[in-house]
């Protein structure tokens, strides 16, 4: 029986992920690291309030078998590119480094379609640099998920994402072949794919783009 650790549990995909983990008997405990107390209650859920800038506190909290990162923000919410990077890159890599020191063998993270450390686009460049840093840490199993536009009900409205999802869905059936990975995908599908991959525990580096995630999450 495994203990799953989740950061980004209160976001769109993170919420689905926690629900999927709690429903799966493979995991006896789901530990979520959150900034504020979480009202969600379940016998298998442990909610730990942390300061993600407090490395000793994080070190004490990160104990388990499989680490899931769904952490992420937007420029609008973060306010500046620097604050955005502090969340998407800083929190992810800090937690990953601690998890590796704690000998946690598996690390699963959500990135983005088009992630590239040398992209001219700040968002995609940050995602790519985060992937690069995680791969350098050297987990026994590293699993990177690159979904296209995520479909689901968010707590906050994101106009750019809404417009992108609308256009992607409008041309859904025109996206074939190498363009198929740009189809929108349900956040719940991504969450179920992450759980399935974690249970398979295939060592090495594995990168799943949106079309592959769709097949895994069915």
């Amino acid at each position: 029986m495994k203990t799953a650790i989740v950061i980004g549990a209160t976001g769109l995909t993170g919420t689905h992920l926690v629900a999927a983990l709690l429903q799966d008997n493979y995991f006896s405990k789901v530990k979520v690291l959150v900034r504020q107390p979480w009202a969600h209650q379940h016998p298998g859920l442990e909610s730990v309030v942390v300061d993600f800038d407090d490395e000793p506190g994080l070190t004490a909290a990160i104990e388990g078998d499989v680490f899931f990162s769904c952490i992420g923000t937007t420029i609008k919410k973060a306010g500046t590119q620097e604050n955005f990077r502090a969340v998407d890159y800083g929190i992810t890599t800090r937690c990953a480094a601690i998890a590796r020191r704690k000998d946690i063998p598996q690390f699963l993270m959500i990135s983005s379609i088009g992630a590239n450390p040398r992209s001219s686009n700040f968002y995609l460049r940050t995602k790519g640099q985060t992937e690069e840093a995680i791969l350098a840490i050297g987990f026994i199993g590293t699993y990177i998920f690159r979904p296209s536009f995520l479909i689901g009900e968010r707590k906050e409205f994101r106009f750019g994402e809404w417009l992108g999802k609308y256009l992607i869905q409008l041309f859904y059936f025109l996206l074939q072949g190498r363009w198929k990975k740009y189809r929108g995908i349900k956040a719940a599908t991504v969450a179920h794919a992450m759980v399935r991959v974690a249970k398979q525990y295939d060592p090495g580096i594995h990168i799943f783009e949106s079309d592959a995630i769709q097949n895994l999450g069915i």
Side-chain angles (χ1 to χ4, degrees):
M1 303 297 283
K2 305 289 186 179
T3 294
I5 307 165
V6 182
I7 59 173
T10 60
L12 177 58
T13 308
T15 302
H16 286 289
L17 175 63
V18 171
L21 290 168
L22 290 172
Q23 292 168 8
D24 198 304
N25 291 332
Y26 184 81
F27 297 93
S28 58
K29 181 190 290 187
V30 180
K31 179 185 287 188
V32 297
L33 309 186
V34 290
R35 294 184 181 90
Q36 299 176 348
W38 203 25
H40 191 66
Q41 299 292 321
H42 188 281
L45 179 66
E46 180 183 350
S47 178
V48 183
V49 177
V50 298
D51 176 352
F52 285 103
D53 293 323
D54 174 19
E55 191 157 330
L58 279 176
T59 301
I62 295 176
E63 292 284 354
D65 303 289
V66 186
F67 198 104
F68 295 87
S69 175
C70 299
I71 202 84
T73 187
T74 63
I75 293 290
K76 181 178 179 180
K77 190 172 181 179
T80 64
Q81 289 187 350
E82 182 180 4
N83 290 341
F84 175 91
R85 184 177 173 83
V87 174
D88 278 55
Y89 181 91
I91 291 177
T92 305
T93 56
R94 188 177 307 119
C95 288
I98 294 169
R100 186 67 186 90
R101 291 200 299 269
K102 290 291 194 77
D103 292 322
I104 294 174
Q106 293 175 269
F107 190 92
L108 298 91
M109 64 172 283
I110 295 178
S111 182
S112 172
I113 197 77
N116 184 334
R118 287 162 290 283
S119 174
S120 59
N121 178 279
F122 173 76
Y123 177 86
L124 296 178
R125 184 169 67 252
T126 302
K127 293 293 186 184
Q129 290 171 348
T130 304
E131 288 185 7
E132 201 170 53
I134 295 301
L135 293 176
I137 289 173
F139 288 92
I140 293 174
T142 305
Y143 316 90
I144 296 172
F145 296 78
R146 293 176 177 169
S148 185
F149 287 104
L150 292 168
I151 301 169
E153 295 298 322
R154 290 191 183 273
K155 295 176 182 178
E156 77 277 4
F157 177 72
R158 300 180 181 180
F159 176 76
E161 190 171 271
W162 171 84
L163 179 61
K165 285 190 292 187
Y166 176 78
L167 293 174
I168 289 292
Q169 293 307 302
L170 183 64
F171 297 103
Y172 185 87
F173 292 105
L174 297 178
L175 296 172
Q176 300 291 338
R178 66 190 183 95
W179 299 102
K180 196 173 181 180
K181 64 184 179 181
Y182 293 101
R183 289 179 175 180
I185 186 168
K186 292 180 180 179
T189 300
V190 178
H192 285 288
M194 294 179 82
V195 174
R196 182 175 180 181
V197 168
K199 291 169 64 178
Q200 289 173 348
Y201 191 11
D202 187 10
I205 296 168
H206 304 272
I207 298 175
F208 305 97
E209 298 203 315
S210 218
D211 50 344
I213 297 171
Q214 180 68 54
N215 293 332
L216 282 167
I218 293 173

